[in-house]
Amino acid sequence: MKESKNFIENIIDEDLALGLDKSLLKFRFPPEPNGFLHIGHVKAICVNFSLAKKYNAPVVLRFDDTNPEKEEQQYIDAIKKDISWLGFKWDEERFASDYFEQLYLWAIELIKNGKAYVDSQSSTAMAEQKGSPTNPGKNSPFRDRSIDENIKLFNEMKQGLHDEGKHVLRAKISMNANNMLLRDPVIYRVIKKEHPRTGSNWVVYPLYDWAHGESDYIEQISHSLCTLEFKPHRELYNWFLKQIAKPSKLKPKQREFARLNLSHTITSKRKLMLLVNSGLVSGWDDPRMPTISGLRRRGYPPEALQEFVRLAGVAKRENVIEASLLEFCAREELNKTSNRVMVVLDPLKLTITNYPSDTDEMVLSENNPENPLSGEREMPFGKEIFIEQEDFKTEANRKFFRLTIGKEVRLKSAYIIKANEVVYDDKNNVVEVLCTYDPKSKSGSGSEESQRKVKGTLHWVSKKGSVDVKVNEYDRLFEHASPSTAKNNEDLFQMINPNSSKTSVAKAEPFLSKAKKGERYQFQRKGYFIVDNNETPLIIFNKTVGLRDNWKK
Ligand code: ATP
Ligand code: MG
């Protein structure tokens, strides 16, 4: 069978066929440390790291830290943690800020070659002269400054002698270029703010287009892969490289792939930051956030995220992937790997009137039928049992296969019981159900009765030995399928689901009193859950996904 390749692999194979030395292949993932990584970044990470694996080439983790107004050390730390957790190891860790000196020297070279000038107009004046895609722009009155004056002014900018916004350094390309990005783009501006790494050493900071390609060149990245919105930047990327690249060195190649867009959520650090700052979520790692840290706390295994990105594919055209695909990937992985346990989320008490009150009977339950090596564990059975409120109705139609008065159900891994009588409180709520059990029907006992088929099987927890646990259940953070279309912040807030989280105290089997942070379980019939934190008196579980796709359109 012919191995299928994505279009980036085709590009690389072509380059190799045309004579590129395989040992020169090198990739990078270049996050700006201005927020936490989200599911969209998972795609860029997987694209680069998978290529590196496939071609046995290195990957650079490069922090694109050229704007001290937005970047912070806490984001650098979080990004590293998230990539490692996803299961990837970078070969080199770099910072664009390490190249400030080299970039500055190259800028001086541009000025000396008549390819850059200091403009002293306001940004509005510069914007007015830009023209439009159909109309040429106008030259700045400062475009023909002498080389000496340009060098003097740029060095004054560098020394902090000028206020922010007074002067910028622009590349001198053309004000008539069809590609608007080539109309003398700004490459340096003055920012008087401490940089998390270079402190107050620098006052002039390079802009993205100038810093990015040059960083790729310094690191000798062979294929600089970015998202489609950078396609128009490619011409500028190449123009800058042409000014500085030595013929003996590899010239990086920028290629673009489609962003990953996910329904019912947003993949923009800026908007995610807005949710954090507005207090609508508890932080970047709120389990409802599409950030890697949020997905981790929600219980998504890294394998599920990788598989999701693989299924979404590497394409040249933008599309929106259904959030249910991500949930599907989580379920598939968790079904294989999580042990089954019994937890009753909304307890109703049953008393088995014909069961002795003084036994220490244990029943055996399989940990994971999908994994024969996972073994079995014991659970206490007893006279008093909890089942879910929703699994009992005094009367019900024939389609209700759970417990009703006069009918039988099986308690999973235990006995068949029959409901006989209901105990009400003074407000007429059912507070207890009196049942009887069939002592010969114990699961796995080999008796004829143990094989007896009844319509319903319920999960349950014996009151004896049960532990109270806190359970957080989530719904989608956005009711709206495409919150990225919000026109403004208010509009975005309107799209939020007001009931996206619910907390309750549940009854869990005794085994879970020893559950550790990060462990994932399937609560029988309820879904997949992860231990969030066990330092509080009650163990906390976060729901990852239900067992089935319950999202109703
Ligand atoms: P955001 O708009 O969320 O801030 P960004 O593109 O500005 O995203 P960067 O930190 O600059 O964030 O991104 C690092 C890399 O991740 C870039 O190569 C970028 O193209 C890629 N990336 C960002 N968002 C997505 C996405 N939704 N799908 C695929 N790749 C993405
Ligand atoms: Mg960016």
Side-chain angles (χ1 to χ4, degrees):
M1 203 181 81
K2 205 168 159 276
E3 161 200 31
S4 82
K5 285 188 210 159
N6 65 43
F7 79 96
I8 299 175
E9 290 165 350
N10 285 330
I11 291 170
I12 294 172
D13 288 346
E14 256 170 57
D15 289 339
L16 293 173
L18 289 171
L20 175 69
D21 189 337
K22 191 159 183 280
S23 69
L24 295 181
L25 289 179
K26 192 171 181 183
F27 306 96
R28 93 282 173 265
F29 174 65
E32 182 179 358
N34 62 348
F36 280 53
L37 298 179
H38 51 64
I39 185 75
H41 294 112
V42 177
K43 171 158 177 187
I45 294 168
C46 289
V47 164
N48 285 294
F49 281 89
S50 310
L51 287 169
K53 186 168 173 213
K54 174 161 182 168
Y55 293 96
N56 193 21
V59 188
V60 177
L61 169 60
R62 181 201 313 145
F63 291 98
D64 210 337
D65 58 345
T66 52
N67 182 358
E69 292 188 312
K70 295 200 232 143
E71 296 151 4
E72 291 176 25
Q73 183 62 39
Q74 61 150 329
Y75 301 133
I76 294 175
D77 300 338
I79 288 169
K80 284 164 48 170
K81 178 173 171 185
D82 288 348
I83 300 173
S84 303
W85 175 79
L86 269 178
F88 298 112
K89 270 205 195 100
W90 51 95
D91 299 272
E92 297 172 23
E93 182 177 321
R94 306 264 176 238
F95 292 83
S97 58
D98 293 341
Y99 310 142
F100 282 168
E101 181 68 24
Q102 175 65 77
L103 291 168
Y104 161 76
L105 293 173
W106 276 330
I108 294 287
E109 211 174 297
L110 286 188
I111 297 174
K112 285 187 178 157
N113 293 334
K115 297 292 171 90
Y117 62 97
V118 173
D119 200 339
S120 311
Q121 303 182 90
S122 67
S123 53
T124 17
M126 284 189 272
E128 279 163 11
Q129 291 158 0
K130 269 260 147 128
S132 72
T134 44
N135 290 309
K138 268 207 245 91
N139 285 354
S140 157
F142 298 101
R143 201 171 194 264
D144 291 319
R145 267 179 166 143
S146 71
I147 290 173
D148 287 345
E149 194 186 352
N150 279 322
I151 291 188
K152 176 175 160 278
L153 277 171
F154 185 49
N155 277 328
E156 286 174 9
M157 284 162 66
K158 178 176 180 268
Q159 284 154 31
L161 302 182
H162 298 289
D163 287 343
E164 288 185 14
K166 281 270 181 267
H167 309 279
V168 291
L169 186 69
R170 296 176 75 176
K172 196 170 180 175
I173 308 178
S174 161
M175 290 305 287
N176 304 326
N178 286 333
N179 183 341
M180 297 279 292
L181 294 167
L182 268 69
R183 293 189 184 175
D184 290 8
V186 174
I187 60 176
Y188 273 100
R189 72 263 200 244
V190 170
I191 302 177
K192 295 193 169 170
K193 183 148 193 264
E194 285 268 312
H195 184 283
R197 288 177 55 85
T198 59
S200 50
N201 292 357
W202 291 88
V203 178
V204 285
Y205 287 95
L207 272 101
Y208 175 87
D209 286 302
W210 172 241
H212 202 87
E214 292 22 66
S215 301
D216 286 342
Y217 176 74
I218 293 170
E219 291 163 8
Q220 289 285 282
I221 302 300
S222 61
H223 295 81
S224 176
L225 308 168
C226 56
T227 35
L228 278 181
E229 69 270 23
F230 290 103
K231 192 157 191 161
H233 294 248
R234 198 204 280 182
E235 208 181 342
L236 184 54
Y237 181 98
N238 289 336
W239 188 90
F240 282 136
L241 283 180
K242 206 169 124 201
Q243 310 310 312
I244 57 132
K246 298 216 161 47
S248 61
K249 290 264 210 162
L250 173 140
K251 210 163 122 232
K253 190 177 222 176
Q254 176 186 308
R255 287 297 177 269
E256 310 82 15
F257 60 89
R259 287 175 77 83
L260 176 87
N261 302 305
L262 191 60
S263 78
H264 296 95
T265 195
I266 42 181
T267 46
S268 148
K269 277 182 270 179
R270 187 186 64 77
K271 289 184 189 161
L272 293 171
M273 170 103 67
L274 199 68
L275 297 182
V276 173
N277 292 341
S278 65
L280 281 163
V281 294
S282 63
W284 286 98
D285 68 346
D286 185 299
R288 294 165 297 175
M289 290 280 271
T291 50
I292 298 180
S293 53
L295 292 161
R296 173 167 62 233
R297 266 190 80 192
R298 180 76 176 260
Y300 277 81
E303 295 81 2
L305 300 189
Q306 286 196 33
E307 178 62 5
F308 167 69
V309 163
R310 200 184 67 74
L311 292 177
V314 183
K316 277 195 230 185
R317 205 161 326 134
E318 293 259 342
N319 59 354
V320 180
I321 311 283
E322 274 298 316
S324 53
L325 181 66
L326 179 59
E327 293 161 1
F328 167 82
C329 292
R331 257 180 229 118
E332 290 285 295
E333 178 66 25
L334 293 168
N335 181 43
K336 287 185 278 180
T337 53
S338 350
N339 283 354
R340 277 59 172 163
V341 291
M342 304 254 215
V343 178
V344 173
L345 299 179
D346 185 15
L348 169 66
K349 193 176 139 197
L350 306 186
T351 299
I352 303 173
T353 50
N354 63 336
Y355 189 85
S357 40
D358 54 353
T359 67
D360 291 318
E361 184 177 1
M362 301 297 266
V363 299
L364 276 177
S365 190
E366 244 183 316
N367 282 325
N368 182 357
E370 300 291 319
N371 175 8
L373 299 176
S374 65
E376 294 177 318
R377 73 185 185 292
E378 287 192 316
M379 288 187 302
F381 191 74
K383 195 176 177 75
E384 293 176 310
I385 298 281
F386 296 112
I387 64 163
E388 300 286 349
Q389 294 271 0
E390 62 176 16
D391 284 339
F392 174 76
K393 280 188 185 161
T394 324
E395 285 168 59
N397 65 23
R398 284 188 298 143
K399 289 202 184 108
F400 187 77
F401 295 134
R402 307 177 212 175
L403 194 62
T404 52
I405 294 295
K407 293 271 166 58
E408 287 187 325
V409 291
R410 177 172 288 284
L411 295 177
K412 183 158 175 64
S413 306
Y415 297 95
I416 293 175
I417 57 164
K418 183 169 154 191
N420 303 310
E421 213 180 303
V422 176
V423 181
Y424 296 94
D425 66 6
D426 49 10
K427 292 196 191 82
N428 225 24
N429 299 312
V430 177
V431 286
E432 188 180 352
V433 181
L434 305 180
C435 304
T436 43
Y437 84 122
D438 173 356
K440 297 207 189 76
S441 65
K442 189 173 183 177
S443 288
S445 66
S447 71
E448 211 171 293
E449 286 84 351
S450 72
Q451 323 273 343
R452 186 151 69 83
K453 290 273 176 285
V454 288
K455 280 268 163 67
T457 302
L458 305 183
H459 65 281
W460 54 274
V461 166
S462 164
K463 187 176 173 200
K464 194 164 67 184
S466 70
V467 282
D468 283 355
V469 297
K470 207 159 129 183
V471 176
N472 296 319
E473 290 177 87
Y474 304 103
D475 206 335
R476 289 184 181 157
L477 186 55
F478 289 96
E479 257 163 357
H480 199 285
S482 28
S484 60
T485 59
K487 288 187 268 318
N488 50 43
N489 297 352
E490 287 76 62
D491 204 20
L492 183 74
F493 292 154
Q494 284 293 316
M495 294 175 173
I496 289 217
N497 175 2
N499 302 309
S500 57
S501 130
K502 175 180 117 186
T503 298
S504 56
V505 174
K507 300 283 180 194
E509 61 169 286
F511 171 78
L512 287 176
S513 64
K514 292 195 269 313
K516 303 223 166 39
K517 184 173 173 165
E519 284 177 351
R520 300 185 183 90
Y521 293 97
Q522 185 197 94
F523 291 3
Q524 297 263 15
R525 297 178 64 231
K526 285 291 160 192
Y528 296 99
F529 294 75
I530 185 166
V531 182
D532 189 48
N533 187 339
N534 53 8
E535 279 125 47
T536 50
L538 291 191
I539 295 181
I540 300 170
F541 285 92
N542 292 338
K543 183 169 181 180
T544 312
V545 274
L547 296 178
R548 264 157 244 107
D549 189 354
N550 280 329
W551 181 257
K552 287 169 203 79
K553 294 266 151 59

